[in-house]
Amino acid sequence: MAVRQRRTVRVVLRAAGAVFAGLVVLAGVTGPAPAVAGTRPSAGSGAYAEGAYAEGVRPGVGGPARTVSPSADRARVVAGGMAAITRRWPGQWGYDDFETTITITRDPGFDGRTYWAHQWDYANDSEGGYVGLQSRSGNDKAVNFSIWGASAWRDLGTGTHCRTFGHEGSGVQCDAAYPWREGVTYRIRIARAGTNGWRASVTDTRADRTTDVATIVLPHDRGGLRSLTEWVENFAQGDDQPDSCADVSPATAVYGRPTANGGTVGTTSSSAYTYGNCASIAKAVCATEQICTLTANQGALPTRKTLRNVYTGYCLDLLSGGTKAGLWNCHENPNQIVSQSATYRLAFPDRAGLCLGAASDDAVTATTCGDSARQQWMPMPLSRAYFNAGTGKCLDPLENGALGAPLRVFTCLGNDFQKWQAGS
């Protein structure tokens, strides 16, 4: 499908049996629009799902969505979709539910305008849907749930608003304010609910609290769920668009391995990739456990630095020159100097082949560098903690941070014991 030469045009992309709503802002160019659900998007395209402004309502306005062009005197970039994950399932088609997790480890902050989406299609119909967390304008945060081809809804959760849309295909969108937090893991679930209904919910796993969004009702049975694709986009429009890709709000999230049919079926493989106008500032990494990380504008990571515990003043150290990680007086020696790679491993460059990892008992040790998510450490700017992608926990000292105390991974608490600073 080609997008013809226009300044601003709305499109609906149908790829691999799915529907993907988007906004394309062009400056005298003609090119292919990206395929999404299950098909790698074309690099350099400007199409994307509009996120918080999607399917009929701009946040806080309540009227029809507007196509917004940037001021003529400023060059802007449509960041749109930047990184995605394709999930592959066993041969069976048509699942009754999908469930996955997401941990946002870098909050894009004020005016973040970022959408972390989980998109599917159905076994017997070309129209699908998506659900996910959003950072909107100002400090607003939300959950957004949409299905194309639907016309009704029921069983709304507290604070949920639903409406039909008709300008990007047609269907139903339901959304609600949802104050998600950096470093908290959320479980996203879409499941059958009564006759032709599909219900979305979000669970805060730290608080063990589930929020039901709504049930969207289809006009007929489409069969079960299939073809899950997860992605991140920046949906800023018009004068809110960044001047360049370098100005896109930084954002990072860890996506867990999805399951289906009550957790009895898992994905067989996962692959991640970058695409779109701002692919150059995006990263997409999948570990051997199929835990994947999508990033926009991560910025500089530590290179040949020590990691100092803010509360104690001691540094991360391979105690006595071994492989057990603990706290010790800060010295720039091979047991303390670390570098972080593009795949988020913390390597000891002067201890050849060793990377920091979380063991099965949650002890933190140095082991041979590999592709496990247990060796991926995500820096979290707001809490200054390091989130371990494989365990969903944070780097934490035992023994009240005493000299020589071993390190472990523990529930992310945001306290001073879990704050770390890269030194010289």
Side-chain angles (χ1 to χ4, degrees):
M1 175 179 177
V3 180
R4 303 308 301 168
Q5 181 174 346
R6 292 182 63 185
R7 178 65 181 171
T8 305
V9 59
R10 286 197 178 273
V11 296
V12 175
L13 307 176
R14 298 178 184 269
V19 180
F20 185 67
L23 172 69
V24 179
V25 179
L26 303 173
V29 298
T30 301
V36 180
T39 302
R40 179 170 180 148
S42 303
S45 125
Y48 69 103
E50 193 184 355
Y53 300 167
E55 300 99 49
V57 176
R58 292 175 65 96
V61 177
R66 294 180 288 122
T67 298
V68 183
S69 298
S71 301
D73 61 344
R74 292 188 63 181
R76 302 294 182 100
V77 64
V78 178
M82 294 171 286
I85 308 158
T86 297
R87 305 292 193 175
R88 299 174 184 87
W89 299 88
Q92 176 186 349
W93 290 105
Y95 298 107
D96 291 331
D97 63 71
F98 280 159
E99 187 171 287
T100 190
T101 61
I102 186 168
T103 310
I104 297 165
T105 58
R106 184 159 189 175
D107 185 332
F110 188 80
D111 284 348
R113 301 187 177 100
T114 302
Y115 189 17
W116 298 271
H118 314 264
Q119 179 176 340
W120 66 88
D121 61 358
Y122 291 96
N124 300 328
D125 199 296
S126 63
E127 294 187 304
Y130 56 39
V131 64
L133 302 179
Q134 295 179 327
S135 171
R136 293 183 168 182
S137 299
N139 290 312
D140 291 345
K141 297 178 178 181
V143 56
N144 185 64
F145 171 36
S146 303
I147 299 181
W148 282 266
S151 59
W153 57 87
R154 62 174 182 255
D155 304 329
L156 272 61
T158 302
T160 297
H161 301 279
C162 294
R163 78 285 289 173
T164 58
F165 62 88
H167 65 282
E168 295 174 339
S170 63
V172 168
Q173 177 199 19
C174 299
D175 61 356
Y178 191 80
W180 54 263
R181 292 168 291 160
E182 181 183 277
V184 175
T185 298
Y186 296 93
R187 187 164 58 247
I188 309 290
R189 178 177 169 84
I190 175 74
R192 287 187 185 272
T195 304
N196 297 336
W198 291 90
R199 188 160 188 80
S201 64
V202 183
T203 299
D204 178 332
T205 63
R206 184 180 298 178
D208 193 24
R209 182 174 58 248
T210 297
T211 298
D212 289 321
V213 182
T215 296
I216 295 179
V217 182
L218 304 181
H220 58 83
D221 184 11
R222 295 181 179 175
L225 304 167
R226 68 171 185 178
S227 193
L228 181 67
T229 300
E230 300 171 295
W231 41 267
V232 61
E233 67 161 7
N234 179 284
F235 53 78
Q237 295 187 59
D239 286 342
D240 293 331
Q241 291 167 209
D243 292 336
S244 69
C245 292
D247 297 311
V248 170
S249 298
T252 301
V254 177
Y255 293 72
R257 183 189 179 194
T259 61
N261 285 1
T264 61
V265 181
T267 52
T268 56
S269 65
S270 302
S271 57
Y273 52 90
T274 60
Y275 67 99
N277 290 338
C278 291
S280 62
I281 55 93
K283 287 198 298 183
V285 178
C286 283
T288 54
E289 300 93 335
Q290 298 185 57
I291 296 169
C292 302
T293 301
L294 301 183
T295 300
N297 268 337
Q298 173 61 59
L301 295 169
T303 301
R304 297 195 64 83
K305 303 286 187 181
T306 57
L307 284 184
R308 183 175 65 85
N309 183 268
V310 172
Y311 182 77
T312 66
Y314 299 135
C315 283
L316 183 152
D317 186 279
L318 296 183
L319 299 172
S320 302
T323 59
K324 182 180 179 180
L327 294 178
W328 199 253
N329 294 314
C330 295
H331 300 287
E332 294 183 20
N333 63 51
N335 297 316
Q336 293 188 359
I337 294 175
V338 295
S339 292
Q340 192 153 28
S341 70
T343 57
Y344 298 105
R345 294 182 305 189
L346 280 171
F348 293 86
D350 298 324
R351 297 283 306 271
L354 290 183
C355 286
L356 197 70
S360 58
D361 63 355
D362 287 346
V364 175
T365 62
T367 56
T368 302
C369 296
D371 294 323
S372 170
R374 286 178 173 265
Q375 288 188 345
Q376 292 179 333
W377 299 91
M378 319 306 299
M380 298 197 295
L382 293 183
S383 64
R384 299 168 72 179
Y386 274 83
F387 178 85
N388 182 267
T391 63
K393 300 176 181 179
C394 283
L395 185 62
D396 184 276
L398 289 164
E399 301 174 7
N400 291 319
L403 182 67
L407 298 181
R408 63 175 176 177
V409 289
F410 190 70
T411 302
C412 297
L413 301 173
N415 62 27
D416 288 347
F417 281 111
Q418 295 183 348
K419 293 181 179 179
W420 301 85
Q421 180 175 340
S424 58

